[in-house]
Amino acid sequence: MKVAAVLALLAGSAAAFAPSQTGKASTALNAFENEVGVQRPLGYWDPLNFLLDQDQERFDRLRYVELKHGRIAQLAVLGHVVTSAGYRLPGNIDSAGHAFKDVKVGLAGLSDIPTAGVVQIIAFIGCLECFVMKDVTGEGEFPGDFRNGHIDFGWDKQTDEWKAEKRAIELNNGRAAQMGILGLMMHEVMTGEPYVVNALLGYPSHFNGA
């Protein structure tokens, strides 16, 4: 079920990329071929035709979802790597004395988190989704722009070409991270060793003490 859920999530993010083939698909190609993220080697890639006969509003919605999934996946990969390296928050995760350092990495860690902790995580994510990680002020320049008139870091001083390049980099990093975290989860379930390349090179990660 976990794998199916991840695959379903990734399917939504596949919509904004690649080569159209014939007929009606050429209309979508002409409409979105100049969007950020349409780049070599795939070009405009929409194998499931999510954008067939769709308008800009639909494209922007799917691009927003793709960006959000990519950002979450990047944080997930980073968290997986950092905790696998042995870094943990100090102290205990609950009043019963369970330490953060005793929580396993990856999917196995879900069973180590107290129920109240899982509820708090879900509530925190819901709070971010509803009140923080969104275009509250309506000032966003593009889908996924959550600066809300406050966070800038010099963005407005840059050229359009520079902005397009940085947005494309974020999209590509997010796409790679989605495949990366899916791979880590799949290999953890199948073999118990998510860092399969390490194992193939003779340097197993000894994941979760294995």
Side-chain angles (χ1 to χ4, degrees), residues 129-143:
E129 177 73 14
C130 294
F131 304 109
V132 180
M133 304 306 293
K134 60 189 302 183
D135 183 14
V136 179
T137 64
E139 300 177 70
E141 293 181 12
F142 49 84

Side-chain angles (χ1 to χ4, degrees), residues 160-180:
D160 290 340
E161 291 76 13
W162 185 92
K163 292 178 181 179
E165 179 184 4
K166 296 303 180 183
R167 290 175 59 198
I169 289 172
E170 181 187 19
L171 273 170
N172 281 336
N173 287 347
R175 292 165 178 173
Q178 289 176 75
M179 299 307 297

